[in-house]
Amino acid sequence: MHENRETSKAPAVKPDGRSAGEGKSRTARMYASEESHSGILPMNRSNKDRKSLAESEEGRPLIKENAHQPNTHPTQSEERVSQGLARVRKAAREHKEMKFTALLHHLTVDLLRESFYSLKRKAAPGVDGVTWQEYETGAEDRLVDLHSRVHRGAYRAMPSRRVYIEKADGRQRPLGVAALEDKIVQQAVVTILNQIYEEDFLGLSYGFRPGRSQHDALDALSYTLLKKKVNYVLDADIRSFFDNLDKSWLVKFVEHRVADPRILRLIQKWLKAGVMEEGIWSEPKTGSPQGSVLTPLTQKVISSSSG
């Protein structure tokens, strides 16, 4: 339930759209073209019932603000991004066994722009040494070029810059600071994949979810303790979770829902980019750099796939 260190807000995504249907069924194992459906269909009953049950089991009332991001006034580019991603979310909601085979075309210049402006302005630079303010100069041309490189396969992930922060118990927590363009592309991919995985979660899940925070989880816990009969509270943590992730298994978990080879290659590039520490490059056999834009998604993917 830690906050993402590299993003200040997620690119706006509105939960409505007019068409859906990208992917393939796990049983059919066939690539499917996009289907077009008119109208806005509600969440199917079984999934809605599951979320309602989860909310009631945790003891808190059904609060709309806890399930969706606050209303905003999106720009025209945000509208285009939102409509495309809303179709992905609608398909994920209605087809729980679907594997999405065509996702990268949603990674547009508009989405890259929204991803860039969602990053923290004062974040430390990666190995490229490029700050947010420097990249903003000529950002439009830079983003068009980045979009082109991603789609023609010329984009190359850079290693993360290793830094350490001191923990409360005196130990050092290793963090990986990604290069700015890596952050932008990662944020765009996370935004796309969130449309799928957000539909697979129950209402009682709060960790690393858009529009939710530790405060929402504490609010739910407080409500439960005050209004329900509680015999005990279990506080558990997985030791060095991100440091010990098996990269090959992480990709397999992603493949439960994502079958777009270009998206999978991007994720594998980031996992193999390695880290740079005091001028020395290394590629850890396990783990995903903590503090990056992509890392929170890895926990969500594993939680969703194993739940």
Side-chain angles (χ1 to χ4, degrees), residues 4-138:
N4 191 332
R5 296 179 181 274
E6 295 293 352
T7 52
S8 56
K9 61 179 180 178
V13 179
K14 294 179 70 177
D16 59 351
R18 289 184 9 183
S19 62
E22 306 167 25
K24 66 180 179 180
S25 167
R26 290 182 187 171
T27 54
R29 302 287 179 182
M30 294 176 59
Y31 281 82
S33 60
E34 290 186 322
E35 301 172 0
S36 178
H37 302 281
S38 60
I40 302 173
L41 301 181
M43 181 184 296
N44 64 57
R45 184 178 182 83
S46 59
N47 193 44
K48 185 175 181 180
D49 289 344
R50 287 171 61 210
K51 291 195 173 186
S52 297
L53 178 61
E55 295 281 2
S56 63
E57 283 180 345
E58 70 177 347
R60 72 186 322 241
L62 298 176
I63 302 175
K64 179 186 290 186
E65 289 76 14
N66 229 19
H68 303 285
Q69 296 183 28
N71 291 328
T72 58
H73 301 284
T75 63
Q76 252 187 343
S77 64
E78 286 176 336
E79 286 282 3
R80 290 194 294 271
V81 171
S82 298
Q83 290 171 4
L85 296 182
R87 293 195 290 270
V88 175
R89 189 157 193 157
K90 179 172 177 285
R93 180 189 311 136
E94 296 173 351
H95 307 285
K96 292 300 180 181
E97 298 300 309
M98 176 180 287
K99 281 192 174 184
F100 289 80
T101 63
L103 289 172
L104 191 67
H105 69 277
H106 292 290
L107 197 152
T108 62
V109 175
D110 288 336
L111 180 56
L112 289 174
R113 186 185 304 109
E114 296 301 322
S115 299
F116 170 65
Y117 282 102
S118 73
L119 297 176
K120 290 183 176 180
R121 271 65 164 168
K122 297 182 179 180
V127 295
D128 58 344
V130 179
T131 65
W132 190 94
Q133 289 76 14
E134 291 171 340
Y135 198 88
E136 188 183 26
T137 303

Side-chain angles (χ1 to χ4, degrees), residues 2-7 119-120 123-124 160-163 165 173-179 183 186-187 208 242-243 288-296 298:
H2 303 288
E3 290 293 338
N4 191 332
R5 296 179 181 274
E6 295 293 352
T7 52
L119 297 176
K120 290 183 176 180
S160 298
R161 182 171 65 87
R162 175 72 79 200
V163 296
I165 61 172
R173 180 193 298 275
L175 298 180
V177 181
K183 293 178 187 178
Q186 287 176 11
Q187 181 59 53
F208 299 119
F242 291 116
D243 296 333
S288 175
Q290 296 185 56
S292 75
V293 174
L294 188 69
T295 298
T298 62

Side-chain angles (χ1 to χ4, degrees), residues 56-295:
S56 63
E57 283 180 345
E58 70 177 347
R60 72 186 322 241
L62 298 176
I63 302 175
K64 179 186 290 186
E65 289 76 14
N66 229 19
H68 303 285
Q69 296 183 28
N71 291 328
T72 58
H73 301 284
T75 63
Q76 252 187 343
S77 64
E78 286 176 336
E79 286 282 3
R80 290 194 294 271
V81 171
S82 298
Q83 290 171 4
L85 296 182
R87 293 195 290 270
V88 175
R89 189 157 193 157
K90 179 172 177 285
R93 180 189 311 136
E94 296 173 351
H95 307 285
K96 292 300 180 181
E97 298 300 309
M98 176 180 287
K99 281 192 174 184
F100 289 80
T101 63
L103 289 172
L104 191 67
H105 69 277
H106 292 290
L107 197 152
T108 62
V109 175
D110 288 336
L111 180 56
L112 289 174
R113 186 185 304 109
E114 296 301 322
S115 299
F116 170 65
Y117 282 102
S118 73
L119 297 176
K120 290 183 176 180
R121 271 65 164 168
K122 297 182 179 180
V127 295
D128 58 344
V130 179
T131 65
W132 190 94
Q133 289 76 14
E134 291 171 340
Y135 198 88
E136 188 183 26
T137 303
E140 197 62 29
D141 291 337
R142 294 174 186 262
L143 293 172
V144 170
D145 176 67
L146 177 59
H147 174 267
S148 175
R149 281 184 280 128
V150 169
H151 280 269
R152 70 174 190 267
Y155 162 78
R156 296 290 180 267
M158 300 184 72
S160 298
R161 182 171 65 87
R162 175 72 79 200
V163 296
Y164 294 89
I165 61 172
E166 188 171 345
K167 301 176 66 174
D169 59 5
R171 292 182 298 164
Q172 298 287 315
R173 180 193 298 275
L175 298 180
V177 181
L180 188 63
E181 285 197 335
D182 289 335
K183 293 178 187 178
I184 296 170
V185 181
Q186 287 176 11
Q187 181 59 53
V189 170
V190 167
T191 301
I192 294 170
L193 297 186
N194 267 342
Q195 310 315 306
I196 300 170
Y197 292 107
E198 279 296 300
E199 292 301 324
D200 294 340
F201 276 100
L202 298 177
L204 51 74
S205 176
Y206 290 88
F208 299 119
R209 297 185 62 184
R212 296 188 173 202
S213 69
Q214 316 85 311
H215 303 292
D216 297 312
L218 290 171
D219 177 44
L221 178 61
S222 175
Y223 182 90
T224 302
L225 292 174
L226 292 173
K227 301 295 183 180
K228 300 289 183 179
K229 182 179 180 181
V230 177
N231 294 321
Y232 62 90
V233 175
L234 175 64
D235 181 12
D237 187 22
I238 301 176
R239 181 181 300 170
S240 302
F241 173 80
F242 291 116
D243 296 333
N244 294 293
L245 278 174
D246 187 301
K247 298 179 182 180
S248 62
W249 275 105
L250 175 59
V251 174
K252 290 178 182 178
F253 280 130
V254 174
E255 289 174 342
H256 287 175
R257 282 290 244 165
V258 177
D260 186 331
R262 298 175 299 174
I263 292 289
L264 295 174
R265 279 197 295 270
L266 281 175
I267 294 174
Q268 289 169 333
K269 284 181 179 181
W270 293 322
L271 291 174
K272 294 179 180 179
V275 297
M276 188 75 72
E277 184 173 359
E278 296 182 352
I280 301 175
W281 178 86
S282 64
E283 182 186 351
K285 295 182 180 180
T286 61
S288 175
Q290 296 185 56
S292 75
V293 174
L294 188 69
T295 298

